[in-house]
Every structure is written in C-alpha cells, then in structure tokens.
Amino acid sequence: MTKPAIARLFFGSLVAIIAGVLVLCLAAVWAFGSGLVELDGSGVRLHGEGLVGDPAVLVLALVVGAVAMLGGAIGQFVAWIGALVNTSHLDDKMWFVLLLVLGLLSFGFVAMLVYVLAGPDGLEVERRRIAGPVGGAA
C-alpha cells in the first residue's frame, strides 16, 4: 500500500469516527431532550411514551453512528497495517519499529499521524532502488 493510499485511508476513517461520534451525541441529546431517557439518583429510567417523533429514527441514528465508528476503527487498523508493511521496505527499520511498538502500546494514533505527515514512503524508496541510478549509467 502506498503512502498516499495510507494517508487517504487514515484521514477518511478518522472522519468516519468523528461523524459517528457526532451522530451518537445528537441521538443522546435527542433522547434526553424528548424525555425518553431520564437520570435520577438511582440510575437511568426509560420512558417510551415521552419520545418525540418516530422511535425508529432514534434507533437508526444510534445504529448509523455505531457502524460509522466501527468502520472508522477498522479503517484505522487497516491503515496501521498498511503503514507497517510500507515501512518494512525501508533499509532503516526505525519507522517500522516505532509504528509497531507505539501501535501495540495504544499510542498508534499519534505514531500514524506523525508517519502520515512526515514519514517516508517505503515503496517509493524501493522503486528508486530497483530502478537504479537516474540516466541509465551502467
């Protein structure tokens, strides 16, 4: 996977996660505002008769938000794996080790952000190495 493809996947899945969180927040505000959900001292109460509008729309909003967040999380994981494969082609394995260790220690977002913004493209480096010197000198 090339670095531009990794960057598109990383930022696209980040947008999906943010959109999912926003949809879930709007659904929660709607549920609290319509009186469907009420917090009291002993816990949470649900009032089915208090819902303004169609309950199916609220459920749909919750499902859409959750699916967007799940899809974004899967996209982030795939981008991380793509970055690991891409950096494994580099002679210097520093980027590979940093991405791997920070990803396994749950700091993968920070490592991926730095890689996408400033990291090398391992496939491009390998292509240049295979192509040899520019100008065809033997």
Side-chain angles (χ1 to χ4, degrees):
M1 183 180 284
T2 64
K3 187 177 173 197
I6 294 168
R8 282 191 304 273
L9 182 58
F10 176 76
F11 288 119
S13 59
L14 188 59
V15 167
I17 291 172
I18 292 170
V21 168
L22 288 176
V23 168
L24 287 176
C25 288
L26 289 174
V29 167
W30 182 15
F32 280 108
S34 67
L36 174 67
V37 178
E38 179 183 319
L39 296 176
D40 60 7
S42 63
V44 178
R45 288 188 184 176
L46 297 175
H47 303 285
E49 71 279 351
L51 185 61
V52 175
D54 189 7
V57 175
L58 179 61
V59 171
L60 181 65
L62 292 171
V63 169
V64 167
V67 168
M69 287 179 57
L70 180 64
I74 292 170
Q76 290 282 307
F77 180 71
V78 171
W80 178 64
I81 296 296
L84 286 173
V85 170
N86 186 294
T87 55
S88 70
H89 295 282
L90 296 170
D91 291 332
D92 182 11
K93 300 298 183 203
M94 181 196 68
W95 278 102
F96 176 80
V97 171
L98 281 174
L99 284 169
L100 179 64
V101 171
L102 291 175
L104 292 175
L105 294 176
S106 298
F107 294 104
F109 177 77
V110 174
M112 281 297 296
L113 187 61
V114 171
Y115 169 72
V116 167
L117 295 176
D121 187 350
L123 293 179
E124 185 62 34
V125 170
E126 187 170 292
R127 263 188 236 120
R128 276 190 254 134
R129 181 177 33 213
I130 291 172
V134 177

